[in-house]
């Protein structure tokens, strides 16, 4: 029924031969479910089983297509394609757990998972922030990030890794239908290669995130306006830096400060204000005691510091 509804949902957003391909796929899935429904003798025989499947099929298709009084849009194409994958993973993992006939598996698998997961979360919680800072020339000490946001970034990185669950799920389903033999070397090699490919693909998807976020901040800084995008607790913002000492005495590290222009800042360390120099694509460190920081005027299309300098 899930395949039937998902096939109908995907067909809704296509045209031409592709539309009919998904329609045939949905109809084929329904026919298989209808045939299997005739074997549900425990619900009242062949006729009752198939009638139940037919009613359930209409209901599932209606929900997935958004047939309701409030005119819901139903499933998107991406959701319709991913839902069968989630169902297959759930079925495969349930078969895998059920195949553990000995309770000793549960006794050591649980602690082993926890023992591995804790250090992995600790490392991955800092990895994305480190890569984000590396793209901008920032150190982790120059970005004030709480532990909650580090945990969120770890989940962001590990979420694509959930695709690896497809490997044990597919293996469990194949074992259930006797498509692979226990201890077969060929099947073990195939599943290992698939797991490696999925891990590499998932890792590349997760590690692209900090580069995209850093490029977005650089683009906003070059434009001189717009809202700098945040990144897991790092909140860049426009500020103006008004010197409290003569400009010739500014002890700026990384470049020359131009007080009449706004800068994107990533926060303040104990000794310096960290800003981004869009002209040279690098950070500037301005001593805290030598400048006065005020929010830039961002009401217009471009940020401005004129009002602050007049004051």
């Amino acid at each position: 029924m899930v395949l039937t509804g998902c096939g109908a949902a995907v067909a809704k957003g296509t045209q031409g031969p592709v539309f009919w391909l998904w329609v045939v796929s949905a109809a084929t899935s329904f026919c298989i479910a209808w045939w299997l429904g005739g074997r549900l003798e425990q619900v009242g025989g062949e006729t009752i089983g198939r009638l139940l499947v037919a009613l359930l099929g209409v209901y599932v298709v209606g929900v997935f297509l958004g047939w309701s009084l409030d005119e819901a849009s139903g499933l998107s194409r991406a959701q319709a394609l991913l839902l069968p994958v989630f169902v297959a993973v759930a079925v495969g993992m349930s078969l895998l757990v059920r195949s553990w006939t000995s309770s000793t598996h549960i006794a050591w698998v649980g602690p082993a998972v926890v023992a591995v997961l804790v250090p992995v979360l600790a490392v991955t919680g800092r990895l994305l922030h480190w890569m984000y800072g590396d793209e901008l020339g920032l150190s982790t000490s120059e970005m004030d990030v709480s532990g909650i946001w580090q945990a969120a970034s770890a989940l962001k990185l590990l979420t694509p890794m959930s695709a690896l669950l497809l490997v044990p799920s597919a293996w469990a389903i194949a074992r259930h239908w006797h498509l692979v033999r226990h201890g077969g070397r060929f099947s073990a090699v195939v599943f290992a290669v698939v797991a490696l490919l999925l891990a590499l693909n998932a890792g590349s998807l997760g590690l692209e995130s900090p580069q995209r976020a850093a490029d977005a901040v650089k683009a906003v800084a070059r434009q001189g306006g717009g809202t700098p995008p945040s990144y897991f607790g790092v909140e860049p913002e426009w500020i103006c830096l008004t010197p409290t000492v003569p400009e010739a005495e500014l002890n700026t590290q990384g470049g020359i400060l131009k007080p009449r222009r706004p800068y994107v800042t990533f926060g303040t360390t104990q000794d310096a204000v960290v800003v981004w120099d869009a002209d040279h694509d690098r950070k500037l460190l301005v001593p805290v005691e030598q400048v006065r920081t005020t929010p830039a005027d961002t009401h217009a299309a471009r940020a401005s510091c004129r009002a602050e300098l007049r004051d």
Side-chain angles (χ1 to χ4, degrees), residues 273-296:
V273 181
V274 184
V275 297
W276 180 255
D277 184 4
D279 293 337
H280 301 90
D281 278 345
R282 61 189 179 188
K283 70 177 179 181
L284 297 180
L285 297 179
V286 187
V288 174
E289 67 274 6
Q290 294 185 352
V291 292
R292 175 170 58 90
T293 61
T294 53

Side-chain angles (χ1 to χ4, degrees), residues 7-48:
V10 175
K12 180 182 63 174
T14 57
Q15 296 179 352
V18 179
F19 169 81
W20 290 108
L21 174 64
W22 285 106
V23 167
V24 171
S25 300
T28 303
S29 302
F30 177 78
C31 291
I32 294 174
W34 186 77
W35 173 73
L36 293 175
R39 305 174 62 181
L40 298 177
E41 300 179 357
Q42 62 272 25
V43 298
E46 179 179 344
T47 302
I48 298 298

Side-chain angles (χ1 to χ4, degrees), residues 39-117:
R39 305 174 62 181
L40 298 177
E41 300 179 357
Q42 62 272 25
V43 298
E46 179 179 344
T47 302
I48 298 298
R50 288 178 175 174
L51 179 61
L52 178 63
V53 168
L55 294 175
L56 183 60
V58 172
Y59 173 76
V60 170
V61 170
V63 171
F64 285 15
L65 291 179
W67 296 345
S68 61
L69 296 177
D70 58 356
E71 297 182 356
S73 59
L75 294 183
S76 65
R77 187 180 303 179
Q79 292 171 334
L81 292 174
L82 287 176
L83 186 56
V85 177
F86 293 150
V87 174
V89 169
V91 172
M93 296 304 294
S94 63
L95 291 174
L96 185 64
V97 172
R98 195 174 68 178
S99 65
W100 292 348
T101 57
S102 175
S103 60
T104 57
H105 290 83
I106 303 297
W108 67 265
V109 167
V113 170
V114 173
V116 172
L117 191 60

Side-chain angles (χ1 to χ4, degrees), residues 187-204:
S187 58
V189 171
V190 170
F191 281 110
V193 171
V194 172
L196 179 61
L197 293 176
L198 288 175
L200 293 175
N201 182 61
S204 63

